[in-house]
Amino acid sequence: MKAVVFDRYGDASVLAVRDIPAPATDASQVQVRVRAAALNPKDLLVRKGKFKLFTGSRFPLGVGYDFSGEVIGGSKFEKGTTVYGMLNGWFGRTLAEEVVCPANECAAMPELTFTEAAAIPLAALTALQALRDLGRLQPGQTVCINGASGGVGVYAVQIAKALGAQVTTLSSARNLELCRSLGADETLDYAQDKPFNRSNGFDVFFDVFGNLSLAKIRNSLKPHGTYVDTVPSRQIIWDSLRTSLGWSKRARLVVVRSRSTDLDLLSQWVTEGKLRPVVDQIFRLDQTAEAEKYLETKRARGKVVIEIN
Ligand SMILES: NC(=O)c1ccc[n+]([C@@H]2O[C@H](COP(=O)([O-])OP(=O)(O)OC[C@H]3O[C@@H](n4cnc5c(N)ncnc54)[C@H](OP(=O)(O)O)[C@@H]3O)[C@@H](O)[C@H]2O)c1
């Protein structure tokens, strides 16, 4: 089967489409003919060797954690069922004609195209787990989302609304309208307006872009508010540890996990019209290097998707 692989860590030029053996499977897993796969910043970090400690030095390595496609094997779904999902772990492999996936890392697809469905899993699961599980966001509460127009942000805005919150977004001026269209109640341009000292501010501050800190936004948090970060650093690990001991304002780091029950909830929201995929650009498998270079600009509005025919 055709797959995107790389034989050494480096810039996007190390990526190549090659014929590799189809993955081995057993009945407990789900074998999928992949139709579309989305890119995430994690793909870029792994390809650059930032997680070498976990990904090691056995090449070739594959690319991609998100996918949508049709079931061709395994006992959980009928053959031909359309599914979508996200792989846990460090080893990407969904930019390929076939993928084998643990049964609890995929779910039946909602009524969307393959391209739209592939744009959801990792980013929307991150937003869901950050807001619901770490932020414990409740109906009527307030949330500020920094980086609201990117892959995770576009889902964070919609999920916060689905959870019944009042949403403030931070983005560049060119993305204010996008944030509004996703349901944000207040849209701020981060170059003009930084609500970090707002009194009576937010119950949750979701720092999707990850360039802030608890110290920076602390004054804007309500007394029992939570700052949720996406980017691992010594600072957020220390802040999470010390605020887990009963301090009033908490800091937490989200580490997304794939779960079919959470994917089912996302599907339900899609069906109810509460969640829609946001696809910025679509590329072919042989354009993956170009697609990764685009994602690397940190200017994507929503998701970058690779179609696989
Ligand atoms: N820990 C986890 O489990 C987990 C899971 C998923 C993602 N992440 C991390 O979360 C981060 C965001 O992921 P993503 O998929 O959303 O990335 P992304 O799609 O590449 O984000 C692009 C967005 O970032 C915004 N941006 C650029 N500069 C900014 C700034 N200075 N302040 C605020 N926003 C800015 C851009 O909006 P403008 O053009 O409007 O500035 C753009 O829309 C990444 O670091 C990723 O590694 C972590």
Side-chain angles (χ1 to χ4, degrees), residues 64-137:
Y65 303 88
D66 281 329
F67 66 92
S68 65
E70 291 144 348
V71 172
I72 53 173
S75 55
K76 181 173 176 180
F77 300 99
E78 293 273 305
K79 280 189 186 161
T81 306
T82 55
V83 292
Y84 72 147
M86 168 207 147
L87 303 176
N88 281 323
W90 293 108
F91 296 98
R93 54 185 189 279
T94 61
L95 269 64
E97 289 175 320
E98 283 182 31
V99 71
V100 165
C101 169
N104 64 348
E105 294 174 16
C106 61
M109 233 173 77
E111 219 167 286
L112 291 172
T113 65
F114 287 119
T115 303
E116 291 170 327
I120 292 180
L122 190 150
L125 288 170
T126 304
L128 174 65
Q129 292 165 13
L131 295 171
R132 179 197 62 188
D133 304 342
L134 300 176
R136 301 180 197 158
L137 191 62

Side-chain angles (χ1 to χ4, degrees), residues 117 127 146 153 164 166 175 210 222 228 265 268 290:
N146 177 44
Q166 281 283 113
N175 286 321
K222 287 191 178 165
V228 186
L265 176 60
Q268 184 193 318
E290 204 185 315

Side-chain angles (χ1 to χ4, degrees), residues 17 21 46 83 115 148 181 208 235 238 254 266 309:
V17 179
V46 168
V83 292
T115 303
S181 75
V208 178
Q235 186 66 54
W238 168 239
V254 62
L266 297 173
N309 293 309

Side-chain angles (χ1 to χ4, degrees), residues 41 45 122 126 146-147 149-153 171-172 174-175 190 208-209 211 230-231 254-256 295 298-302:
L45 296 169
L122 190 150
T126 304
N146 177 44
S149 55
V152 174
S171 72
S172 63
R174 75 178 188 124
N175 286 321
Y190 54 62
V208 178
F209 191 68
N211 58 342
T230 57
V231 180
V254 62
V255 180
V256 64
L295 187 62
K298 300 191 178 187
R299 284 289 168 267
R301 303 160 109 165

Side-chain angles (χ1 to χ4, degrees), residues 4-274:
V4 176
V5 295
F6 55 101
D7 291 317
R8 63 187 165 85
Y9 296 117
D11 63 24
S13 67
V14 301
L15 300 170
V17 179
R18 282 222 300 268
D19 270 311
I20 62 167
T25 186
D26 62 59
S28 72
Q29 297 186 305
V30 183
Q31 192 180 2
V32 179
R33 167 78 173 87
V34 182
R35 296 293 182 182
L39 291 177
N40 290 283
K42 182 176 178 182
D43 291 298
L44 313 181
L45 296 169
V46 168
R47 187 250 294 152
K48 288 177 185 167
K50 302 283 185 200
F51 299 117
K52 246 184 232 176
L53 193 62
F54 306 103
T55 50
S57 53
R58 284 182 62 184
F59 295 99
L61 289 175
V63 179
Y65 303 88
D66 281 329
F67 66 92
S68 65
E70 291 144 348
V71 172
I72 53 173
S75 55
K76 181 173 176 180
F77 300 99
E78 293 273 305
K79 280 189 186 161
T81 306
T82 55
V83 292
Y84 72 147
M86 168 207 147
L87 303 176
N88 281 323
W90 293 108
F91 296 98
R93 54 185 189 279
T94 61
L95 269 64
E97 289 175 320
E98 283 182 31
V99 71
V100 165
C101 169
N104 64 348
E105 294 174 16
C106 61
M109 233 173 77
E111 219 167 286
L112 291 172
T113 65
F114 287 119
T115 303
E116 291 170 327
I120 292 180
L122 190 150
L125 288 170
T126 304
L128 174 65
Q129 292 165 13
L131 295 171
R132 179 197 62 188
D133 304 342
L134 300 176
R136 301 180 197 158
L137 191 62
Q138 301 297 318
Q141 289 192 332
T142 52
V143 58
C144 183
I145 297 166
N146 177 44
S149 55
V152 174
V154 293
Y155 297 112
V157 177
Q158 299 180 79
I159 288 170
K161 290 307 297 176
L163 294 172
Q166 281 283 113
V167 179
T168 297
T169 57
L170 282 169
S171 72
S172 63
R174 75 178 188 124
N175 286 321
L176 294 174
E177 186 44 45
L178 170 64
C179 295
R180 222 168 278 135
S181 75
L182 296 169
D185 301 285
E186 180 186 34
T187 56
L188 303 178
D189 167 4
Y190 54 62
Q192 304 287 335
D193 199 351
K194 301 187 197 302
F196 307 151
N197 288 308
R198 186 179 276 193
S199 59
N200 193 24
F202 307 108
D203 294 285
V204 178
F205 199 115
F206 184 20
D207 185 8
V208 178
F209 191 68
N211 58 342
L212 305 174
S213 64
L214 177 61
K216 219 174 241 170
I217 64 92
R218 190 181 178 89
N219 290 341
S220 71
L221 273 188
K222 287 191 178 165
H224 295 284
T226 306
Y227 167 76
V228 186
D229 199 354
T230 57
V231 180
S233 67
R234 280 198 195 132
Q235 186 66 54
I236 184 63
I237 290 165
W238 168 239
D239 285 343
S240 307
L241 282 174
R242 69 184 179 83
T243 61
S244 64
L245 301 174
W247 291 53
S248 61
K249 297 185 183 182
R250 309 180 318 142
R252 294 290 181 269
L253 171 68
V254 62
V255 180
V256 64
R257 296 289 301 165
S258 189
R259 277 185 219 123
S260 45
T261 48
D262 281 351
L263 287 166
D264 286 337
L265 176 60
L266 297 173
S267 300
Q268 184 193 318
W269 280 338
V270 169
T271 306
E272 291 170 357
K274 293 178 178 166

